[in-house]
Amino acid sequence: MELVPVFQEIMDTAGGIAPIGYEALIRARGSLRVLEAMEVFAAASEFGGREKLDQQIQAIQLEQGLPLLQPNQRLFLNMPSYPVHEEYYAALSPYASRLVLEVSEKAKVTDAQFYWLHELHKTGAEIAIDDFGVGSHNLATLTKLQPDGIKLDMSFVHNQDYETIRKVRRFAEDWNASLIVEGIETEQEAAAVMDAGVRYIQGFFYSRPQEAWYYWL
Ligand code: G
Ligand code: MN
């Protein structure tokens, strides 16, 4: 199967809607159909294991994603949710200032990973907590990560829990982190989230994950 990176725009809603960059995601072309991310990872052995697969995904996402960026935009990359060898992080360092590294709240962050995230942060990478609100991180992890961004899990929008979204927005402000709300699928959701004071949003309503060529058209 062939790996196919796809990219979804992340929107800034301040003064009109404009993309601040793209989140890189992954699909694969199988013999019959396009496979979703979960199916790709389930077939990791075909790529020599999960870590080899993650390295290949990283390489093609950088290769195809970085050229899409305008000077003020960044590429958002999902970090592996298990401990990987330092080569994985070292490979990111030439591009640090163009990247936002998404660390899932569902991931276990080891000391070695904290070390690398810090190093990359020092050279310009931003750190964002992904799936915020449904994982198992605690405040100690937040303190250690000092995230530049918090990506709220899409379940809050889908449950129309705008009161919680408003509270998380204040929480993020206190941490000097930009809040990004994910999973915006309708105009009504977009309006309600903006009404809760959220500036950055992401979801199918604005942008479906697309192959890089789509953005070159
Ligand atoms: O865990 P993370 O936030 O990285 O997951 C991103 C996943 O969410 C991708 O698989 C992407 O296709 C999906 N996604 C992106 N926008 C939307 C949306 O508006 N609605 C839904 N249901 N899924 C979305
Ligand atoms: Mn993500």
Side-chain angles (χ1 to χ4, degrees):
M1 81 175 71
E2 179 204 357
L3 294 172
V4 182
V6 288
F7 302 91
Q8 182 181 33
E9 289 172 311
I10 298 174
M11 300 304 187
D12 184 353
T13 65
I17 311 265
I20 55 167
Y22 304 84
E23 179 172 358
L25 299 163
I26 195 70
R27 307 273 184 273
R29 252 188 287 278
S31 50
L32 295 174
R33 61 189 176 87
V34 173
L35 306 181
E36 293 297 315
M38 292 308 242
E39 300 173 281
V40 179
F41 292 119
S45 61
E46 208 180 294
F47 297 89
R50 180 67 202 251
E51 189 163 352
K52 284 265 183 324
L53 171 60
D54 274 312
Q55 283 172 351
Q56 286 182 54
I57 289 172
Q58 181 201 69
I60 55 173
Q61 285 177 337
L62 290 172
E63 180 186 50
Q64 296 187 31
L66 290 171
L68 297 178
L69 302 179
Q70 301 291 327
N72 56 349
Q73 294 180 324
R74 284 180 186 251
L75 187 64
F76 290 63
L77 294 179
N78 290 290
M79 296 297 99
S81 57
Y82 58 93
V84 290
H85 289 92
E86 64 176 8
E87 287 78 17
Y88 182 91
Y89 296 102
L92 295 172
S93 95
Y95 318 104
S97 65
R98 313 309 323 275
L99 302 176
V100 179
L101 310 178
E102 296 190 8
V103 180
S104 174
E105 216 193 49
K106 296 168 184 164
K108 170 135 186 52
V109 187
T110 62
D111 286 346
Q113 198 175 1
F114 276 122
Y115 168 81
W116 271 102
L117 292 169
H118 257 132
E119 287 301 300
L120 290 164
H121 193 250
K122 278 193 267 178
T123 52
E126 293 185 349
I127 311 290
I129 299 199
D130 202 5
D131 309 310
F132 185 80
V134 298
S136 50
H137 282 183
N138 46 38
L139 284 176
T141 313
L142 210 63
T143 310
K144 264 169 128 179
L145 275 178
Q146 292 288 319
D148 307 280
I150 291 178
K151 298 186 77 176
L152 185 65
D153 188 74
M154 59 181 83
S155 57
F156 294 92
V157 170
H158 297 162
N159 294 333
Q160 300 182 3
D161 187 359
Y162 301 114
E163 213 26 67
T164 298
I165 292 175
R166 188 179 290 278
K167 289 173 185 161
V168 175
R169 194 255 299 159
R170 292 195 210 108
F171 177 85
E173 273 167 17
D174 285 345
W175 283 82
N176 286 324
S178 304
L179 178 66
I180 300 172
V181 172
E182 302 186 275
I184 308 293
E185 294 177 355
T186 66
E187 194 168 3
Q188 288 77 359
E189 288 172 348
V193 166
M194 282 188 248
D195 197 50
V198 175
R199 175 168 173 182
Y200 301 102
I201 53 185
Q202 179 179 356
F204 294 162
F205 178 63
Y206 292 105
S207 170
R208 292 205 160 249
Q210 302 278 5
E211 291 181 41
W213 59 260
Y214 171 90
Y215 294 105
W216 290 110
L217 291 181

